[in-house]
Amino acid sequence: MPYRLIEKKEFDKIILHNGDWEIKMQLFAEMNRYNTLVAVKKAGSGHLGSSLSSMDIITYLYLNEMNVLTVGLDSEDRDIYFSSKGHDVPGLYSLFYSLGILPAEKLLALRRLHGLDGHPEVRIPGIEASTGSLGMGISKAKGMAWAKSYKKRKGRVFVLTGDGEFQEGQIWESLQAAAHQKVNNLIAIMDHNKYQTDMLVEDVNNIEDIVEKVSAFGWYVVRIDGHNYQSLKNTFTNLKSITDQPKMVIADTIKGKGVSFMERPVTETISGKTYYKWHSGAPDDDSYLKGLNEISERIYQLSQKLGVDRIEIPENEAEGKITTKIQKEFVTDAFGDAIVELAKTNNKIVVLDGDLSADCKLRKFEYAYPHRFIENGIAEQDMVSMAGGLARMGLLPIVNTFASFLAARANEQIYNNATENSKIIYVCHFAGLIPAGPGKSHQSVRDISLFSALPNVIILQPCNGWETKKVVEFCVNEAKENCVIRLVIGPSPEVIQLPENYKFTFGVGTELTEGKDAILFGYGPVMLHEALVASYYLKEIGFGLKVVNMPWLNRINSEWLIGITRNYSAVYVLEDHSIIGGLGDRILDTLISANAINNKKFKKFGLADYPECGTPLEVLNYHRLDGKSLAMQIAEIDEIDSKLVRDLKQKYTDEAPQ
Amino acid sequence: MPYRLIEKKEFDKIILHNGDWEIKMQLFAEMNRYNTLVAVKKAGSGHLGSSLSSMDIITYLYLNEMNVLTVGLDSEDRDIYFSSKGHDVPGLYSLFYSLGILPAEKLLALRRLHGLDGHPEVRIPGIEASTGSLGMGISKAKGMAWAKSYKKRKGRVFVLTGDGEFQEGQIWESLQAAAHQKVNNLIAIMDHNKYQTDMLVEDVNNIEDIVEKVSAFGWYVVRIDGHNYQSLKNTFTNLKSITDQPKMVIADTIKGKGVSFMERPVTETISGKTYYKWHSGAPDDDSYLKGLNEISERIYQLSQKLGVDRIEIPENEAEGKITTKIQKEFVTDAFGDAIVELAKTNNKIVVLDGDLSADCKLRKFEYAYPHRFIENGIAEQDMVSMAGGLARMGLLPIVNTFASFLAARANEQIYNNATENSKIIYVCHFAGLIPAGPGKSHQSVRDISLFSALPNVIILQPCNGWETKKVVEFCVNEAKENCVIRLVIGPSPEVIQLPENYKFTFGVGTELTEGKDAILFGYGPVMLHEALVASYYLKEIGFGLKVVNMPWLNRINSEWLIGITRNYSAVYVLEDHSIIGGLGDRILDTLISANAINNKKFKKFGLADYPECGTPLEVLNYHRLDGKSLAMQIAEIDEIDSKLVRDLKQKYTDEAPQ
């Protein structure tokens, strides 16, 4: 196994050693930075920049300020810490390993099924709150602190936030209410590392002067260097005497601290603009080894200074995986290209983004039409209502962010816009189950249900790049109603082949395979790939499954549907979504309304529980949504002799996208 | 017709008269206050306090500051005004009548079908944005202002906000983004009338120092007397020279201004606490006439001062409707009593509210257990995440607000809590179609669909007070998962009679009538009443409809359902909700999974479009959900001779609750 951690016993050595306190802390933190880098590299994804910038803060808190290591994780009098931003959890997991809260094998199973979730989950020892979608933490910490007071329990609540996170309205809700409610056993700490996804906070949506703002909201605020242990110590000691206000520490930090080339403001330049590139993602092999070496060197220096025995630093190699040179399809690329093309002749189009421009493939549009691109920062509700205002003025807004945030954080705003009968296009990037590494805060498997009851919204999901272009063109040029476009954010497992003569037609799907024994409707490249794999398996055992790509998730041509299902006694729907509220419910509605169900078997495959975290293969298997499991379930239902099902090689690779 | 307005020609007189400008304005506004009072009295509901407090501001703007009367409502260069809070729209409608934008018959059809919507809707001339749910206006205004700049159009955007509204996080999102985006042709005005629903803003969730806060957010802020026309004039004149920042005017106003006994701080005292009572609701006859007299007197004085011809003030009487002394059932009362009772022996219960304590019948609990009651103000996201923190600490939070806000504004927060597998009870007050006076921002007909895809949430709606108590007891004492309780907020049209031996049983409904020809499942007192009425009609023509009360909206005992539907060839579901995503979809799921649909007819009644505004009878009829329409639709489907359907007297009365 090529991934090795600095072992716990080395950390114990530091704790037990009598020496300069500050150097002890710095060394402890550096050793954790090392392990964080290993864990993220092994995972293949994870957020390094914030894990590294917050490491000194959490090292300070757990080793000096909080009582949780002495009173225990179950004590009702324990101090509580958690991170509101959540994505800095690889650093926290590493710290937990060094403190004996988590075993090594878990740390080396970051973002793996039954390992450690990509964003914090309370099922993991030491994790006090599940977080991942920004802006909720101070509210939740307020509840915890209030509960402690109510139950007359000791212990303070510490919550770490990001800085871009202060673009979220809920933060200000919680600040105002906490001050009013006098929840004074609450300390928020901002990991003020100046960058959000890949740009400076001050360029995206400036939060300064943050001390002035938070003070105006009635909190006691101090601003310090978040890497200076003496400052941390003085600050938190002084805060103990502030008992009549909730408290905030603005900790100026360096994103990527500890690895020189990850430390801002080192960036990459694209089209003349500079971007921070270490917010998320595992480093390439060279950067990985270079980073480990840098940290190792500093560990060596510090251990010398401290006068402690030599710290055992393990051998670590890069796995040397040849990343495939084959260009994978990203439907988001096709989307990004399509809007640039359409904007050439349609000057009503205005594109809005919520700090996810790179992920949503909006950069091309941003460069081509800077005056038509609105970067709103991490403020989805504002973005959606702003789009409402643009639409009232006759423009055509195309609103972008991750599906879970757009559909659920800004649901009421979308409803309000829709009641005005204007037209807005909402693009739900990162729709569906995969990628599953980030965890359930990011996997969006409820969004179709969150839009379906809106009378004037058309929901679509294209199956490949070509269809994506058609979908966007339809939404922009033809649709009279609002549109929601779901896009898978990772690489398509395969490019779904559509028939030569395929015309993208309202309410009508496309047959991808022939088969007479059952029919299955699916959408999107991830699940259609699994459906096709299932059809290959079933073909091997003489069972013909017709797979139909159905990109129209809530507008179904009834005549077409009745016709295409007429001769089938079994109808399946494969959701990239919960089995509740997706395409299946609408197909069933249509068949029932037309009295066309006629004793057919009808079954939906999809999620019946929360989506799991892991690699695509792990998670598809876990939920029995991989092609083989689907084939077996379909075959079981039809009582085909399962001894005939052979283990065909999966075409799907294990390359988990970031 | 006993409701008469001061006619438009009287207002024209004022406009044309040469005289002291300030007195002209004051007189114009007072005349509009008069008409506002008439309109709200006729409607039977409406928000007087804010209509009256904002009247001087909007009078000033439309008659002096904005160009919309000269360039016209369709000009792309027009100044734009709208109110973010929305509920002050009766005052705005009155102003529109006085300016010739709306005809008299519309003003006298406030909250009536095809009249004027209870909260602003863009289908009404002059209304620039649909609002009603707080906090969205500055964002939307930002979009409008941005669009004007983009299209190189003239005109500024003025948006009025409330003060309690600044408890909503989205406000701060929009302030921060607007400053960063330099949307400088944007002016927000706060109608700072100090009271929110019935309490002082500073007591509920203090927004001060508001000038300091908004300035810190990069806006240019001034604070003035919102009833002083000279101050308004000077202020808005000066603001024209501020071109590098968005601008905010904090206008100190008096809620209820113009009617002495409605002007704060006149309040009523309940249990030793003082409350403001004129936020919403039509005045009783005495108050109405007294109010009209006061305003008339002031109109007379001002017209004398101005030197204008006598203003014709019409005769107005109170209709003298005998409000029924029969005590109506409110399921919310049963809810409020139930939580007080349960809290006696369960000290984990903590109740949270979002400034709707009176409407949600929480006051009893508040007085009995003040230390277990958390008033969070108009901050639902914070309230829900705070509940998450409480639940993590082992408490049992019961979260309350209106269904549309809880389900849609705080959807992501509810999801996040649910992923922690703690237990929280969410109470969705004002669920369903009725009352319909406030309009679609308040009518909640999507909430079931917004919760359904959550794996660990049980959704229930009781049919009467007794069942409400059972539901609450189940949720508190037995449920292992999160619960959502939908409650109708108005009076029950009838007290649904449950069988003597009825035991509230998980996943099982109750038969309310006998009938062999079709079976209909429904829930809640409003729709079950209509279902019962339908069954009476159908009985008259020899058609037996079995009506089943089904309080379990997403947990259905399959065996029970199969059994009870076995002998029916037609299955109906009556939603108090959209036909998408409600009980019907879950019943159909269950029947299909059990292969029990067997060529039965299956049909859902409910909303296929946005809910209309009007009285209960008007709106139920419009959507064909009243008992008679249901009976006719059921009869049509079964081809029963409709000539036999007679017009039975509706038991439902026209008392529209506030």
Side-chain angles (χ1 to χ4, degrees), chain A residues 45-58:
Chain A
S45 58
H47 294 74
L48 279 173
S50 305
S51 292
L52 298 176
S53 62
S54 59
M55 185 59 76
D56 293 309
I57 295 167
I58 58 176

Side-chain angles (χ1 to χ4, degrees), chain B residues 35 56 107 179 213 239 342 372 390 419 425 433 438 448 462 468 486 491 531 563 585 589:
Chain B
N35 282 350
D56 294 308
L107 184 56
K213 282 175 178 170
L239 286 185
L342 287 163
R372 296 216 246 165
L390 298 173
T419 65
I425 297 172
L433 182 63
I448 306 173
T468 300
R486 288 183 107 225
D585 285 355
D589 262 346

Side-chain angles (χ1 to χ4, degrees), chain A residues 188-204:
Chain A
I189 306 139
M190 180 189 284
D191 179 13
H192 197 358
N193 60 27
K194 311 305 180 295
Y195 279 84
Q196 38 198 115
T197 295
D198 53 13
M199 290 172 63
L200 281 163
V201 174
E202 75 188 25
D203 286 341
V204 174

Side-chain angles (χ1 to χ4, degrees), chain B residues 16-71:
Chain B
L16 293 167
H17 180 79
N18 254 342
D20 183 276
W21 170 77
E22 231 176 324
I23 301 175
K24 273 178 69 163
M25 294 299 111
Q26 289 166 354
L27 177 52
F28 202 90
E30 290 299 342
M31 290 159 67
N32 269 316
R33 286 192 169 93
Y34 183 99
N35 282 350
T36 301
L37 192 45
V38 174
V40 169
K41 178 64 172 170
K42 177 155 198 306
S45 60
H47 295 73
L48 279 173
S50 305
S51 292
L52 298 177
S53 62
S54 58
M55 185 59 75
D56 294 308
I57 295 167
I58 58 176
T59 299
Y60 172 76
L61 287 175
Y62 276 87
L63 291 185
N64 300 278
E65 192 65 25
M66 293 167 60
N67 66 4
V68 70
L69 295 176
T70 37
V71 306

Side-chain angles (χ1 to χ4, degrees), chain B residues 182-238:
Chain B
K182 300 195 183 312
V183 183
N184 301 328
N185 52 338
L186 171 59
I187 299 119
I189 305 138
M190 179 188 286
D191 179 13
H192 197 356
N193 60 26
K194 310 306 180 297
Y195 278 84
Q196 38 199 112
T197 295
D198 53 13
M199 290 171 63
L200 281 162
V201 174
E202 75 187 25
D203 286 341
V204 174
N205 189 351
N206 196 6
I207 65 168
E208 304 294 348
D209 177 71
I210 190 63
V211 173
E212 192 188 336
K213 282 175 178 170
V214 180
S215 301
F217 270 68
W219 283 51
Y220 182 90
V221 196
V222 292
R223 188 161 182 165
I224 65 168
D225 173 354
H227 298 298
N228 184 315
Y229 283 94
Q230 200 56 56
S231 297
L232 285 162
K233 186 179 208 176
N234 294 343
T235 301
F236 282 100
T237 305
N238 292 341

Side-chain angles (χ1 to χ4, degrees), chain A residues 199-230:
Chain A
M199 290 172 63
L200 281 163
V201 174
E202 75 188 25
D203 286 341
V204 174
N205 189 351
N206 194 6
I207 65 168
E208 305 293 349
D209 177 68
I210 190 62
V211 174
E212 192 188 336
K213 283 175 177 170
V214 179
S215 301
F217 270 69
W219 283 51
Y220 182 91
V221 197
V222 292
R223 188 160 181 166
I224 64 168
D225 173 354
H227 299 299
N228 184 316
Y229 283 93
Q230 200 54 58

Side-chain angles (χ1 to χ4, degrees), chain B residues 46 63 83 85 118 120 143 150 191 263 360 450 454 504 512 637:
Chain B
L63 291 185
S83 171
K85 45 181 163 134
Y150 174 76
D191 179 13
E263 292 184 5
C360 298
L450 300 181
L454 293 164
F504 186 70
L512 300 182
I637 290 170

Side-chain angles (χ1 to χ4, degrees), chain A residues 199-421:
Chain A
M199 290 172 63
L200 281 163
V201 174
E202 75 188 25
D203 286 341
V204 174
N205 189 351
N206 194 6
I207 65 168
E208 305 293 349
D209 177 68
I210 190 62
V211 174
E212 192 188 336
K213 283 175 177 170
V214 179
S215 301
F217 270 69
W219 283 51
Y220 182 91
V221 197
V222 292
R223 188 160 181 166
I224 64 168
D225 173 354
H227 299 299
N228 184 316
Y229 283 93
Q230 200 54 58
S231 296
L232 286 162
K233 186 179 208 175
N234 294 344
T235 302
F236 282 99
T237 305
N238 292 342
L239 287 185
K240 286 196 173 79
S241 61
I242 310 295
T243 53
D244 61 343
Q245 281 176 288
K247 298 151 268 291
M248 177 130 207
V249 177
I250 311 282
D252 287 298
T253 55
I254 296 174
K255 196 153 183 168
K257 172 90 166 135
V259 179
S260 64
F261 53 88
M262 292 185 187
E263 291 185 5
R264 52 128 181 128
V266 177
T267 53
E268 59 184 353
T269 305
I270 303 169
S271 296
K273 291 175 172 259
T274 55
Y275 297 100
Y276 182 78
K277 62 181 270 197
W278 297 105
H279 171 71
S280 73
D284 58 274
D285 291 354
D286 280 349
S287 304
Y288 174 58
L289 296 173
K290 243 183 108 188
L292 289 182
N293 282 339
E294 272 194 26
I295 301 173
S296 303
E297 182 55 34
R298 208 161 38 250
I299 289 173
Y300 175 71
Q301 303 286 354
L302 286 166
S303 61
Q304 291 284 92
K305 249 172 115 177
L306 186 60
V308 73
D309 290 344
R310 195 184 70 89
I311 303 295
E312 261 185 64
I313 295 178
E315 286 285 330
N316 266 310
E317 315 154 347
E319 264 189 296
K321 258 202 277 206
I322 314 295
T323 42
T324 172
K325 289 290 173 230
I326 302 163
Q327 193 69 355
K328 288 226 150 197
E329 172 195 79
F330 284 80
V331 292
T332 45
D333 280 332
F335 165 75
D337 291 342
I339 54 175
V340 170
E341 190 59 34
L342 287 163
K344 286 181 186 163
T345 51
N346 185 333
N347 61 2
K348 293 191 155 86
I349 290 174
V350 175
V351 170
L352 297 94
D353 175 56
D355 190 41
L356 292 168
S357 185
D359 281 308
C360 298
K361 307 297 170 66
L362 304 174
R363 286 269 149 83
K364 275 190 190 174
F365 188 97
E366 197 181 335
Y367 301 149
Y369 307 101
H371 54 295
R372 297 216 247 166
F373 177 82
I374 299 173
E375 178 51 72
N376 219 56
I378 309 168
E380 297 80 17
Q381 301 178 54
D382 178 64
M383 173 169 66
V384 168
S385 292
M386 182 176 189
L390 298 174
R392 285 285 296 146
M393 299 287 101
L395 297 176
L396 176 55
I398 301 180
V399 181
N400 299 269
T401 182
F402 288 171
S404 35
F405 312 148
L406 189 48
R409 193 59 158 266
N411 195 278
E412 204 189 12
Q413 288 78 5
I414 291 173
Y415 172 75
N416 169 262
N417 287 348
T419 65
E420 293 183 331
N421 276 310

